[in-house]
Amino acid sequence: MYKIAVAGTGYVGLVAGVCFAEVGHQVTCVDIDEKKVDVMKSGVSPIFEAGLEELMQKNYVAGRIDYTTDYKSAYKDADAIFIGVGTPEQPDGSANLSYIATVARQIAENIEKDCLVVVKSTVPVGTNDKVEQFINDFLVNDVKVEVASNPEFLAQGSAVHDTLHAERIIIGTESKWAEGILKQIYEPFGLPIVSVNRRSAEMIKYASNDFLALKISYMNDIANLCELVGADIQDVAKGMSFDQRIGSKFLNAGIGYGGSCFPKDTKALEYLAKQNGYELKTVKAAIEVNTEQKTKLFSKARKRLITFSGLKVAVLGLTFKPGTDDLREAASLENVPLLLEQGANIYAFDPVGAKNFARVYPEGTNGRGSITYVENIEEALDGANVCFVFTEWGEVKALTPETYKKLMWTPLVYDGRNIYDVGEMEEAGVEYYSIGRKPALREGKKESRNIGLQTVKS
Ligand code: UGA
């Protein structure tokens, strides 16, 4: 059992802390936000994450985890301190390391015994060296400190599961001492450990995330071509997936990747390459494809409708993916302002993300348009002229084509997640557009009402 302190209680820090406690370590989670600390002490998770709250409560009651703003007492006698604070993107694409630097200094000024400092946050290659240098610069007591890299690979929505059942643990160390401690901390997890040097560990994190981002952008690129040549991206993906070298995961074409990781990490690696006089062409292309992908459906719909002014627009899903209330880099954030600018009356549904979205776009009139948040999908669809699907929530997937047909004034659906069967939508009389698949209805094929300025002829 190790005495572990965790700096930062965002996704990375809190989930790591709770999982360390779950396998038997003694954990103190540190955060500067007093309110948040009180909330966590009361057994409530500050983030929406399946299974997290239960483990927080269980381990708090068992006395294996505590939360505090008092970093001095948390750090002073810890065997290991994990840093999980944010590294937000700066306007030039580089990572902002000021939170890490602050924590490093606090550690240096307060530790009273030998300690391993472990950077869990995603940081550019070489940052661990800097953190070690920084700690040594400010070190007060005569103790041994070393810095190790231990990137995390959890995905939001399945964070606890991803941590307890990770496919691999990456540890990047520069000494046997550091390697030994990290191996022992992770021993109770019973997972494969890949031990490399610090810089390689830092690179593994970026290379993995950017590879996944690239995979998605590649499928989106191919999907766009599929549309032009009459192929179907889902059939193409299925055919590709049988090749084990390609694999079956992350082949879903759609409205582009979002979240707090892929957009930030692709830009950060591109920036790192540039700083080193190298052009990372593949990653650059992934970023470009993704940027264009996010408004593809809006452009299509605009061509079809000419204007959204005065139309009731149903927006289903606001978060960057299901299972989270996180809106960072979500497609909704790109499309909603475009719709409002055009004078759309938006009726938005999201089972958990609406509250966060309302902070950015409060309910009511907004510019030329308006936005209303509804608690059930039917309310959004009732009498709507057009519907956009931005997130594949279970509730949205469960909708039948008949529901669209029955409730909407004009059953015109733009699906950014390819969740419905093209044939079934067509059968039900829904005019359905998705990504990389044939539009269900060709103009002039079936009867339709007037939509905006454009009429679809029967
Ligand atoms: C991602 C990685 O999956 C994790 O392994 C990593 O640890 C994490 O970033 C991180 O660096 O912290 P996350 O951002 O939570 O996790 O979400 P993903 O499930 O990877 O989805 C990211 C985006 O890609 C979502 O917008 C999703 O809709 C999109 N996506 C995913 C697709 O468009 N197509 C796919 O086939 C898969």
Side-chain angles (χ1 to χ4, degrees):
M1 190 271 287
Y2 278 88
K3 195 164 188 314
I4 294 174
V6 181
T9 57
Y11 266 96
V12 177
L14 181 59
V15 176
V18 170
C19 291
F20 285 141
E22 176 67 12
V23 299
H25 297 302
Q26 188 65 43
V27 180
T28 307
C29 292
V30 179
D31 204 288
I32 48 168
D33 185 338
E34 248 169 66
K35 254 200 217 145
K36 196 172 171 190
V37 165
D38 288 342
V39 165
M40 292 187 289
K41 272 179 180 291
S42 71
V44 174
S45 168
I47 51 175
F48 179 82
E49 195 58 54
L52 184 59
E53 222 164 65
E54 289 87 323
L55 289 193
M56 285 174 74
Q57 289 162 6
K58 176 181 152 197
N59 286 288
Y60 188 69
V61 171
R64 282 193 297 266
I65 193 164
D66 201 1
Y67 310 92
T68 184
T69 52
D70 179 8
Y71 61 85
K72 291 183 182 172
S73 61
Y75 296 161
K76 73 173 185 194
D77 58 348
D79 299 312
I81 303 172
F82 284 76
I83 303 180
V85 295
T87 54
E89 184 186 318
Q90 305 194 100
D92 62 1
S94 65
N96 177 351
L97 299 176
S98 63
Y99 300 112
I100 294 225
T102 304
V103 171
R105 184 168 176 171
Q106 290 168 342
I107 291 172
E109 289 171 348
N110 291 289
I111 47 171
E112 292 175 6
K113 62 179 246 196
D114 293 354
C115 176
L116 182 68
V117 174
V118 188
V119 178
K120 246 197 171 310
S121 312
T122 302
V123 291
V125 180
T127 305
N128 277 263
D129 297 3
K130 269 194 212 153
V131 172
E132 191 164 276
Q133 168 79 66
F134 213 57
I135 292 178
N136 283 316
D137 284 349
F138 289 101
L139 202 57
V140 172
N141 296 309
D142 183 21
V143 292
K144 172 170 154 178
V145 198
E146 216 180 287
V147 173
S149 166
N150 171 223
E152 60 76 33
F153 294 92
L154 61 84
Q156 287 179 225
S158 55
V160 172
H161 179 271
D162 291 351
T163 305
L164 292 175
H165 307 282
E167 280 164 332
R168 81 300 206 186
I169 306 288
I170 303 293
I171 58 174
T173 55
E174 298 295 319
S175 77
K176 286 278 161 219
W177 177 74
E179 186 189 17
I181 294 178
L182 264 179
K183 278 190 168 167
Q184 279 170 13
I185 288 175
Y186 276 107
E187 207 243 347
F189 287 83
L191 299 165
I193 294 177
V194 182
S195 179
V196 295
N197 71 21
R198 275 200 310 229
R199 287 183 177 232
S200 300
E202 291 170 318
M203 184 57 104
I204 287 171
K205 172 66 189 181
Y206 279 105
S208 301
N209 267 10
D210 289 15
F211 185 78
L212 294 170
L214 233 141
K215 208 172 173 187
I216 297 168
S217 274
Y218 178 74
M219 292 312 285
N220 285 334
D221 218 10
I222 296 291
N224 297 336
L225 183 60
C226 279
E227 271 180 35
L228 298 172
V229 300
D232 184 302
I233 191 64
Q234 285 182 322
D235 289 343
V236 172
K238 189 174 169 195
M240 290 167 67
S241 70
F242 280 80
D243 186 332
Q244 284 181 18
R245 293 169 302 176
I246 295 172
S248 59
K249 292 180 181 158
F250 277 66
L251 293 180
N252 294 328
I255 198 150
Y257 58 77
S260 61
C261 306
F262 292 169
K264 170 172 78 78
D265 295 349
T266 43
K267 284 181 216 155
L269 200 60
E270 198 209 350
Y271 179 85
L272 182 79
K274 221 191 276 168
Q275 291 294 95
N276 286 277
Y278 187 73
E279 192 189 0
L280 208 51
K281 290 185 182 141
T282 47
V283 174
K284 212 170 154 185
I287 297 170
E288 271 172 32
V289 169
N290 198 55
T291 306
E292 284 176 24
Q293 200 68 14
K294 285 196 172 161
T295 51
K296 271 242 140 68
L297 286 181
F298 171 81
S299 306
K300 251 190 216 179
R302 196 177 164 190
K303 251 191 213 151
R304 167 75 174 77
L305 295 163
I306 312 294
T307 177
F308 291 92
S309 180
L311 298 192
K312 176 168 177 179
V313 179
V315 165
L316 306 186
L318 297 166
T319 55
F320 82 93
K321 68 170 189 179
T324 174
D325 61 354
D326 201 328
L327 299 172
R328 281 175 284 183
E329 304 277 342
S332 59
L333 287 173
E334 296 289 325
N335 288 282
V336 163
L338 294 175
L339 290 164
L340 289 171
E341 220 171 80
Q342 287 248 323
N345 296 318
I346 297 174
Y347 283 70
F349 166 84
D350 191 289
V352 298
K355 222 160 109 199
N356 287 345
F357 206 83
R359 284 196 197 114
V360 195
Y361 293 99
E363 178 150 296
T365 308
N366 192 308
R368 291 181 53 218
S370 67
I371 186 158
T372 307
Y373 297 95
V374 295
E375 279 181 16
N376 64 65
I377 303 180
E378 283 72 21
E379 244 181 283
L381 292 179
D382 195 24
N385 300 98
V386 55
C387 171
F388 287 93
V389 175
F390 293 140
T391 322
E392 67 276 36
W393 284 102
E395 295 90 325
V396 183
K397 278 161 94 175
L399 285 174
T400 61
E402 290 71 30
T403 311
Y404 283 105
K405 172 73 178 160
K406 194 177 81 197
L407 292 176
M408 293 179 72
W409 178 254
T410 39
L412 176 59
V413 177
Y414 289 86
D415 173 8
R417 298 297 182 172
N418 285 354
I419 55 182
Y420 306 114
D421 185 275
V422 177
E424 286 175 14
M425 287 295 249
E426 181 169 1
E427 195 84 347
V430 178
E431 187 175 339
Y432 178 58
Y433 298 91
S434 48
I435 308 279
R437 303 189 296 171
K438 281 185 300 178
L441 286 176
R442 301 262 176 229
E443 285 195 14
K445 202 169 168 198
K446 284 203 177 163
E447 181 206 337
S448 181
R449 294 190 185 97
N450 270 347
I451 303 171
L453 292 177
Q454 188 173 350
T455 307
V456 181
K457 295 181 193 102
S458 21

